[in-house]
Each structure stands twice: as C-alpha cells, then as structure tokens.
Amino acid sequence: MHARQSLLKSSVMGIRTKTIKSSLLAISIALITAPVQASEKGVLKELKEDIVEGKEKLKKSAESPEDNSSQGSDLSTNNYYSEDASSDLNELQARIIYELIRAPFWIPLVITNDQYGEHLYWAEYPYAARYKGFASHEEKEGFRDFHLRVSSEASWRRGNLMHGALNVAFASGSRFELILDHKLYIEGFDLKNEKLNITNMDLNYLFAVGTHGQFRIGLGYMGLFEQNIRDSGIHLTYGFDLFIHRPIVLSVMTSIGQYVESGMGSAKVRATFGALYRNAELFLGYDGHRIGARSLSGPVAGLRLYF
C-alpha cells in the first residue's frame, strides 16, 4: 500500500514537472517570437505604406468638399494660433513668446559680434595657419570669399536599418549658402531588402558669422523616392557651426517641413562633434529624423573635407 502511494505521488510530481517545463518553454517561445513578429514589417516598409495611405486620404478629401469643410472646422477648433487662443494671452505671456522667437537670431549676433551687410572671408580650412576659427569680416592673407565642404557618412541603426549619405555645401562671401544632401536608407540583408532615397536641397543665409561660429537659416526642397513611391515638400532650416578651440568643430542642424502629396510632416534634429586634422574632419553624432509617425533616427559617423 505504501509503495503504491509513493508511486502515485512520484507520478503526480512528474506530471507537474512536465507541465511546468512545458509552460516555461511556451512562454520562452512566445517571448522570442513576439519581437520577430513585431519587427517583421520594417520601418521603411511602414513609412512607404504611410505615404501611400496619406496620398489616398488627401485625394479623397479633395474629391469630397463636404469632408473638406468638416475637416476645416475641426482644424480651426484645434488651431493653436486661433483668435480665441491669442486673445487669452496676457501682455507678459506675449512678451515671453516674442523673446523666445527672437532669441535664436539676436543671441548669435551678440556672440559673433556680426553686423548685416559685411562681406565674409574664410580661411583655407578651420584653424588653418594658426587662425583661431574659420571666418573673418576682414580680408586676410590666404583667406577667400567662398568655401566648399564635402562630407560622407554612414550609420547602422536598430532593426538592421542603415544609411549612407553624401553632402556638398558651398558658401559665398555674400552670405548665401547652398547645401545638397542625399541619403540612401537600406533595411535588411536579403534580396528583398527595403530601400528609400531622401534628397534635400537647401538655400541658406548666414545671418550671423564670426571667428568662432556661423549661424544659418534657410528654406529648402525635400524629396523621397524609391520605385513607385515618390513625394516632395518644403522645409525650414536653422543651424550653426561652432569652432570653439582647435581642433574641435560642433555642428547642429534642425528643420521642420511637410510633404505635399502625402501630407506627412518631417522634423530633423542633428548634432555632430568633430575633430580636425588639416582640412579633414572626422565626426560622430546623432541624426534625428522623423517622417510622420516613423523614426529614421540614429547615431552617425563620417568624414568632412574643407576646400
């Protein structure tokens, strides 16, 4: 009798152990496969689907005036700059907002001790010939009234998303600057990998320039394309380069805009920290880029040459 009870008890314990092991195995499989299933559709594929969906929505809204009027009323109620909202601002709040809008423009002018209308000259490259910075308001020996920058970069982001880029910038002594930038995004390693090309062409004005820094603001074209996916838009840009001390270069660029056909917004915040050797700058940084609800952000590394 005692032997039977022991045998029954051991059988029950064995069943429980197997059940627990099976449960743990099932949970482990679920935890492992869940991220794979979630990431089965990559960021680029989701972005392309968002673009197509946005185009269809705008097309339908354009074909139905009633929907347009209702959407317009909804937008007006949610407009942050509506008359009702502005009427509620008191004098102090309005002054604070005004100063916040002004700050990115008058602070650089104070820092650089710049005045509008002065012609600009640049050294052969930053810190060249023992110069303390890059630009000058006075013509000096070896300085030129233009400069050219060419950079190449690469990045590997989470989810097997990578990008390579080529950037060319030309600035003249009249303070205008043209920047051409092309990025190729690739996601995945197989033959079915997703690709997306993003091209920007910006015309900037160097509104504040001094020995140790140059600040820019501008307007630019932005386009994305790959096979049957195409869209274009316009964005506003604001950025600066600081030449604090040899051989350091700090560069920041921000932009905000919208694509026309899909109606999707675009926002960028980019910062790089570089070190110069002669006319070559090695830089590391972070390239934050969001299109609609999709993020293409990640760390970046590259090489910039000054001519």
Side-chain angles (χ1 to χ4, degrees), residues 29-79:
I29 293 172
L31 290 173
I32 292 171
T33 56
V36 175
Q37 292 172 355
S39 61
E40 186 177 350
K41 188 184 292 185
V43 176
L44 295 185
K45 189 172 182 63
E46 290 177 337
L47 177 56
K48 290 177 183 179
E49 291 177 354
D50 290 348
I51 293 170
V52 174
E53 185 179 349
K55 288 182 179 181
E56 291 177 353
K57 285 183 178 179
L58 288 179
K59 187 177 180 180
K60 289 180 180 178
S61 64
E63 292 174 352
S64 54
E66 294 180 0
D67 293 342
N68 258 348
S69 61
S70 63
Q71 287 179 4
S73 62
D74 292 339
L75 288 174
S76 62
T77 57
N78 294 326
N79 190 353

Side-chain angles (χ1 to χ4, degrees), residues 6-307:
S6 299
L7 181 61
L8 180 61
K9 187 176 181 180
S10 61
S11 299
V12 172
M13 291 296 293
I15 293 171
R16 287 181 179 178
T17 303
K18 289 181 180 179
T19 304
I20 292 171
K21 287 182 179 180
S22 301
S23 301
L24 290 175
L25 181 60
I27 293 171
S28 301
I29 293 172
L31 290 173
I32 292 171
T33 56
V36 175
Q37 292 172 355
S39 61
E40 186 177 350
K41 188 184 292 185
V43 176
L44 295 185
K45 189 172 182 63
E46 290 177 337
L47 177 56
K48 290 177 183 179
E49 291 177 354
D50 290 348
I51 293 170
V52 174
E53 185 179 349
K55 288 182 179 181
E56 291 177 353
K57 285 183 178 179
L58 288 179
K59 187 177 180 180
K60 289 180 180 178
S61 64
E63 292 174 352
S64 54
E66 294 180 0
D67 293 342
N68 258 348
S69 61
S70 63
Q71 287 179 4
S73 62
D74 292 339
L75 288 174
S76 62
T77 57
N78 294 326
N79 190 353
Y80 293 101
Y81 303 100
S82 63
E83 294 181 2
D84 293 337
S86 60
S87 63
D88 293 337
L89 292 174
N90 57 35
E91 186 176 350
L92 178 60
Q93 290 173 323
R95 183 66 181 178
I96 292 173
I97 293 174
Y98 173 71
E99 292 298 336
L100 287 174
I101 294 173
R102 256 179 90 236
F105 301 97
W106 69 263
I107 292 178
L109 289 172
V110 173
I111 293 174
T112 59
N113 194 26
D114 192 8
Q115 295 180 359
Y116 292 119
E118 291 186 342
H119 203 73
L120 300 178
Y121 302 90
W122 287 274
E124 186 179 356
Y125 51 86
Y127 308 116
R130 298 185 180 277
Y131 189 59
K132 294 181 179 180
F134 191 22
S136 173
H137 298 148
E138 300 176 358
E139 188 173 4
K140 300 176 183 290
E141 184 179 355
F143 278 55
R144 302 165 298 182
D145 63 349
F146 71 92
H147 81 269
L148 176 69
R149 307 188 307 273
V150 180
S151 65
S152 178
E153 66 183 45
S155 176
W156 187 341
R157 311 174 186 206
R158 64 179 183 176
N160 295 331
L161 176 62
M162 302 168 287
H163 97 263
L166 179 64
N167 181 287
V168 179
F170 177 82
S172 69
S174 58
R175 294 177 178 263
F176 286 99
E177 179 185 57
L178 179 65
I179 299 180
L180 303 176
D181 181 83
H182 180 79
K183 287 185 174 70
L184 171 61
Y185 290 88
I186 300 176
E187 189 169 31
F189 299 103
D190 54 16
L191 296 176
K192 297 180 181 180
N193 56 15
E194 294 288 338
K195 297 179 182 178
L196 184 65
N197 292 275
I198 297 181
T199 299
N200 294 332
M201 182 171 63
D202 304 328
L203 180 61
N204 300 322
Y205 183 74
L206 301 171
F207 69 93
V209 180
T211 302
H212 298 287
Q214 50 190 25
F215 294 77
R216 60 180 61 86
I217 185 170
L219 181 68
Y221 161 87
M222 54 183 187
L224 55 83
F225 59 92
E226 177 60 31
Q227 295 180 350
N228 298 327
I229 302 294
R230 292 181 182 275
D231 205 348
S232 59
I234 296 175
H235 65 174
L236 296 172
T237 63
Y238 178 92
F240 56 85
D241 305 312
L242 297 180
F243 310 95
I244 304 168
H245 190 278
R246 186 192 312 268
I248 297 171
V249 180
L250 176 63
S251 299
V252 174
M253 177 61 78
T254 63
S255 73
I256 184 169
Q258 187 170 13
Y259 287 96
V260 176
E261 296 183 27
S262 63
M264 297 176 63
S266 171
K268 298 180 186 177
V269 178
R270 173 189 173 92
T272 61
F273 183 85
L276 272 163
Y277 177 74
R278 295 184 182 274
N279 71 323
E281 176 194 348
L282 288 172
F283 62 85
L284 296 171
Y286 187 82
D287 183 31
H289 188 187
R290 193 172 189 88
I291 301 177
R294 310 303 170 190
S295 174
L296 303 176
S297 306
V300 66
L303 173 67
R304 183 178 292 116
L305 300 176
Y306 294 82
F307 299 98

